[in-house]
């Protein structure tokens, strides 16, 4: 087979030769470097490459070219090679425009010209591009088929489960002719939906999360009974602990109830995370972290519900919902938080049927040219508003407080002000939601006037509050009045150690009231609710795990 291709496109011959030279110097043994002087010439070359059946790993295109700029070219190139990774070459003066375009077109990186020295400014970017391409490649994607009802809550939850676990799938509404043919071939009835058909032809009728996880190749069973470290929760804090634990030689397993990434994994774009100046989606960040953990040897168990944590001598024992157990020398609790339920009449009944929690990206196609409402005033709500503005006719952000400044980052507020179809209503709450089989209307209340207004919509996305689900810990772990887990100095009251504390020292900074059980991320009392701090606490927890194990 011929080598995969790295393509560079620039109308300036000297720049084109320079970037091609630098790429050949580093990647010439494994990739063929092809250069073009215009977007039109590059598209002609890509069509020939497509006919020959060769693969394109990455494309670097100049942002400012006559007749066809880099963004327009990359959009058309994606139609020919959708799996090729993409980067923009741009001058400093065009940085803002390039970043804005990146947010819309989903380009992977941008590079400032000049990029000397390439070892610092060019190669790390291209390394990331080709690494991502190798993980995906141009191989045919084996799709799982999902047949369900547009307004079925179980069908919606199954779509979310597959999407958030990066399982390629194709959705068929039960009223489509192809769905009828698939159901007949599978011997399934329409009232058995959702129906899942795996790439090998296996049919699952209304499967549970663990059943679908096993069927599509996600790991659900632990490979051992005893580990050095069990990480409970797969958000940024948990993934951080898994990466650092496994990379430092600890036999590590991460246990996740639904999908890795947590709330951050549902974010359409995180733009204030260190090291990603052009932003990164929660799904991309999660996928990279998950692959990084696996690279170092960490196990990742999906669709496993942890219902108990006990101490048996030096071991910390984890009990799953099915009654099975695993044990470890130490544990990191990183279960994060969940969006609070919307306290509006009809909200519970219509959840998954027009009322959604989090940025349900699977609903984006259905929002085309529709009016969308988003409840919340923090960053997650703002990011969702930006995302849905590319699909919906209008997006209205419903904020209970007097302004966004108290809870949302400045950069995001500025973005929202520049988007014509995004509107913000402050001092507004949702009084009720209503509809027959699905959401049809929302009733809003103005806190200043007390007046209510009923508006038609099929889509309401909720991003309010943050509540931990720590009831399963019972009395074994100390928690504050809101359910967040207390750690370190917060456990000491009037100089006294927590009840049941068995060690002749105070709890370490992230250590809970059970020795050897550490807490990281949003579930920890008094934590900073940011992705970067969660990752940092995940790494810090592993450092403290080492201190704990050394004293045993």
């Amino acid at each position: 087979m011929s080598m995969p291709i790295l393509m560079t496109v620039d109308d300036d011959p000297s720049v084109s030769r320079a970037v091609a030279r630098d790429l050949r110097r580093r990647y010439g043994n494994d990739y063929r470097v092809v250069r073009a002087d215009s977007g039109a010439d590059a598209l002609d070359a890509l069509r020939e490459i497509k006919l020959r059946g060769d693969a394109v790993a990455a494309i670097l295109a100049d942002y400012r070219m006559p007749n066809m700029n880099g963004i327009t070219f990359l959009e058309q190139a994606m139609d020919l090679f959708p799996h090729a990774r993409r980067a923009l070459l741009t001058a400093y003066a065009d940085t803002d425009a390039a970043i804005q375009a990146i947010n819309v077109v989903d380009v992977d990186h941008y590079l400032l010209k000049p990029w000397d020295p390439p070892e610092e400014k060019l190669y790390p970017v291209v390394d990331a591009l080709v690494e991502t391409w190798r993980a995906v490649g141009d191989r045919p994607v084996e799709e799982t088929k999902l047949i369900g009802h547009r307004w079925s809550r179980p069908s919606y939850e199954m779509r979310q489960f597959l999407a958030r676990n990066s399982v390629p799938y194709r959705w068929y509404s039960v009223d489509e002719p192809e769905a009828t043919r698939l159901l007949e071939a599978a011997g399934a009835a329409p009232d058995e939906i959702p129906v899942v058909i795996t790439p090998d032809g296996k049919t699952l009728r209304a499967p549970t999360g663990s059943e679908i996880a096993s069927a599509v190749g996600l790991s659900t069973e632990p490979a051992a009974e005893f580990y050095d470290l069990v990480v409970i929760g797969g958000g940024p804090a948990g993934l951080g602990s898994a990466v650092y634990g496994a990379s430092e030689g600890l036999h590590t397993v991460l246990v996740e109830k639904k999908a890795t990434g947590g709330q951050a994994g549902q974010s359409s774009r995180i733009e204030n995370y260190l090291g990603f100046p052009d932003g990164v989606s929660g799904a991309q960040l999660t996928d990279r972290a998950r692959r990084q953990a696996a690279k170092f040897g960490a196990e990742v168990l999906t669709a496993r519900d942890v219902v108990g944590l006990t101490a048996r001598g030096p071991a910390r024992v984890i009990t799953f919902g099915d009654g099975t157990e695993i044990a470890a020398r130490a544990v990191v609790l990183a279960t994060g938080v969940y969006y609070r339920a919307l306290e509006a009449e009809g909200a519970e009944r219509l959840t998954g049927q027009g009322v959604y929690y989090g940025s349900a990206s699977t609903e984006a196609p259905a929002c085309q040219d529709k009016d969308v409402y988003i409840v919340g005033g923090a960053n997650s709500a703002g990011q969702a508003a930006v995302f849905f503005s590319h699909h919906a006719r209008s997006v209205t952000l419903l904020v209970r407080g007097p302004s966004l400044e108290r809870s949302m980052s400045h950069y995001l507020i500025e973005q929202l002000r520049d988007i014509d179809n995004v509107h913000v209503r402050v001092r507004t709450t949702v009084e009720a939601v209503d509809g027959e089989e699905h959401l049809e209307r929302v009733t809003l209340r103005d806190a200043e006037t007390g007046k209510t207004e009923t508006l038609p919509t099929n889509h309401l996305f909720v991003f309010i509050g943050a509540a931990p689900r720590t009831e399963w810990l019972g009395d074994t772990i100390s928690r504050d009045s809101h359910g967040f887990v207390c750690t370190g100095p917060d456990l000491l009251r009037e100089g006294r150690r927590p009840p049941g504390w068995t060690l002749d020292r105070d709890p370490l900074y992230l250590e809970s009231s059970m020795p050897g059980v550490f807490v990281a991320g949003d579930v920890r009392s008094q934590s900073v609710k940011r992705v970067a701090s969660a990752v940092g606490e995940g790494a810090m927890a592993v450092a403290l795990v080492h201190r704990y194990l050394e004293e045993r």
Side-chain angles (χ1 to χ4, degrees):
M1 294 180 60
S2 60
M3 292 188 294
I5 290 168
L6 299 177
M7 173 175 276
T8 173
V9 189
D10 199 303
D11 65 305
D12 185 330
S14 62
V15 174
S16 181
R17 286 193 295 269
V19 69
R21 177 201 65 212
D22 288 340
L23 290 176
R24 290 192 183 101
R25 183 182 302 162
R26 173 72 170 254
Y27 306 100
N29 291 334
D30 301 307
Y31 295 88
R32 184 157 58 96
V33 177
V34 174
R35 68 184 182 94
D37 296 328
S38 70
D41 289 345
L43 289 173
D44 288 340
L46 288 174
R47 292 186 187 102
E48 291 185 17
I49 293 167
K50 189 77 172 180
L51 290 175
R52 291 199 305 266
D54 293 339
V56 177
I59 304 172
L60 284 72
D62 184 43
Y63 174 69
R64 184 175 293 190
M65 295 187 292
N67 301 321
M68 182 185 298
N69 67 30
I71 293 296
T72 303
F73 161 69
L74 288 173
E75 284 186 293
Q76 296 185 36
M78 288 168 62
D79 294 334
L80 293 167
F81 290 93
H83 297 295
R85 311 320 301 177
R86 302 166 294 279
L88 278 175
L89 296 170
T90 182
Y92 182 80
D94 296 323
T95 300
D96 290 342
I99 293 174
Q100 188 66 26
I102 284 169
N103 292 337
V104 176
V105 184
D106 197 25
V107 176
D108 296 287
H109 292 277
Y110 74 87
L111 281 161
L112 286 175
K113 296 186 291 185
W115 53 86
D116 289 329
E119 290 78 10
E120 294 181 10
K121 299 182 179 180
L122 174 66
Y123 297 151
V125 170
V126 180
D127 285 346
L129 295 175
V130 297
E131 178 187 349
T132 304
W133 179 81
R134 284 173 183 162
V136 178
D138 280 334
R139 59 185 181 276
V141 177
E142 294 185 333
E143 290 182 330
T144 295
K145 298 177 178 65
L146 173 60
I147 305 160
H149 193 284
R150 170 74 182 85
W151 299 113
S152 160
R153 182 171 179 172
S155 297
Y156 160 73
E157 291 175 346
M158 190 60 63
R159 291 169 68 187
Q160 282 290 93
F161 179 84
L162 292 172
R164 292 190 59 200
N165 281 288
S166 303
V167 177
Y169 77 95
R170 185 178 294 275
W171 162 257
Y172 298 89
S173 180
V174 71
D175 52 6
E176 296 178 26
E178 182 62 19
T180 301
R181 288 189 285 269
L182 287 170
L183 289 174
E184 290 177 353
D191 60 0
E192 294 179 296
I193 61 171
V195 171
V196 174
I197 303 174
T198 63
D200 61 3
K202 183 180 180 181
T203 300
L204 303 174
R205 297 166 174 82
T208 64
S210 59
E211 288 173 341
I212 185 63
S214 297
V216 299
L218 299 175
S219 179
T220 60
E221 296 296 330
E225 295 180 355
F226 193 86
Y227 294 83
D228 293 323
L229 177 64
V230 172
V231 180
I232 305 175
L239 287 167
S241 289
V243 167
Y244 280 92
S247 67
E248 294 173 9
L250 297 178
H251 187 196
T252 302
V253 60
L254 183 149
V255 182
E256 169 54 43
K257 183 176 182 179
K258 291 184 178 179
T260 51
Q263 285 189 356
Q266 300 181 65
S267 176
S268 55
R269 186 165 293 274
I270 303 168
E271 297 190 62
N272 58 353
Y273 188 69
L274 185 67
F276 291 87
D278 51 350
V280 61
S281 74
Q284 290 173 323
L285 189 63
T286 296
D287 179 64
R288 293 178 181 184
R290 184 171 51 213
R291 288 191 283 115
Q292 194 173 15
K295 165 188 171 183
F296 290 121
E299 288 181 46
V300 178
L301 305 183
T302 307
R304 294 306 300 266
D305 190 13
V306 177
V307 298
L309 170 61
T310 56
R312 295 180 189 167
R316 301 296 175 258
V317 179
I318 307 301
T319 303
F320 295 117
D322 62 1
T324 59
E325 297 178 340
I326 57 173
R329 301 168 67 197
V331 171
V332 172
L333 287 176
T335 50
V337 293
Y338 299 80
Y339 294 116
R340 287 194 290 107
L342 180 66
E343 295 181 359
E345 183 180 350
E348 171 60 26
R349 178 175 64 86
L350 293 174
T351 297
Q353 298 168 256
V355 177
Y356 307 103
Y357 288 87
S359 184
S361 58
T362 55
E363 294 299 308
C367 295
Q368 195 70 39
D369 298 323
K370 301 291 180 61
D371 298 317
V372 168
Y373 291 82
I374 295 175
V375 186
N379 280 7
S380 54
Q383 290 158 354
V386 173
F387 172 73
F388 283 110
S389 70
H390 303 311
H391 303 272
R393 175 172 54 201
S394 72
V395 178
T396 302
L397 203 58
L398 307 174
V399 183
R400 181 176 59 181
S403 70
L404 290 174
E405 277 72 11
R406 291 184 178 181
S407 54
M408 189 177 293
S409 295
H410 176 73
Y411 82 89
L412 202 47
I413 295 174
E414 292 298 310
Q415 275 191 33
L416 294 175
R417 286 174 179 164
D418 292 336
I419 303 175
D420 293 337
N421 64 335
V422 172
H423 314 285
V424 179
R425 292 183 56 163
V426 298
R427 295 187 174 93
T428 302
T429 57
V430 179
E431 185 84 357
V433 297
D434 191 25
E436 296 301 324
E437 293 185 352
H438 58 84
L439 176 66
E440 297 176 10
R441 63 195 71 88
V442 297
T443 300
L444 308 180
R445 177 177 292 277
D446 187 305
E448 284 189 320
T449 65
K451 294 181 178 180
T452 61
E453 179 182 11
T454 300
L455 301 168
T457 186
N458 298 136
H459 300 91
L460 180 71
F461 298 91
V462 182
F463 299 83
I464 54 174
R469 292 184 181 172
T470 54
E471 300 84 1
W472 62 275
L473 290 170
D475 297 329
T476 59
I477 302 287
S478 295
R479 293 170 287 153
D480 65 19
S481 59
H482 300 287
F484 293 93
V485 182
C486 299
T487 59
D490 290 339
L491 290 169
L492 303 177
R493 294 292 181 266
E494 298 179 356
R496 297 179 181 177
R497 293 166 182 162
W501 185 259
T502 59
L503 301 182
D504 189 23
R505 62 163 175 78
D506 292 342
L508 300 174
Y509 182 68
L510 298 180
E511 196 168 20
S512 73
S513 58
M514 180 184 292
V517 176
F518 298 84
V519 189
D522 290 359
V523 73
R524 189 177 68 84
S525 181
Q526 307 300 320
S527 66
V528 177
K529 306 299 188 283
R530 287 290 185 269
V531 176
S533 61
V535 173
E537 286 192 6
M540 185 192 301
V542 171
L544 298 176
V545 164
H546 282 294
R547 286 182 57 182
Y548 168 77
L549 295 178
E550 288 170 359
E551 67 185 26
R552 303 303 292 167

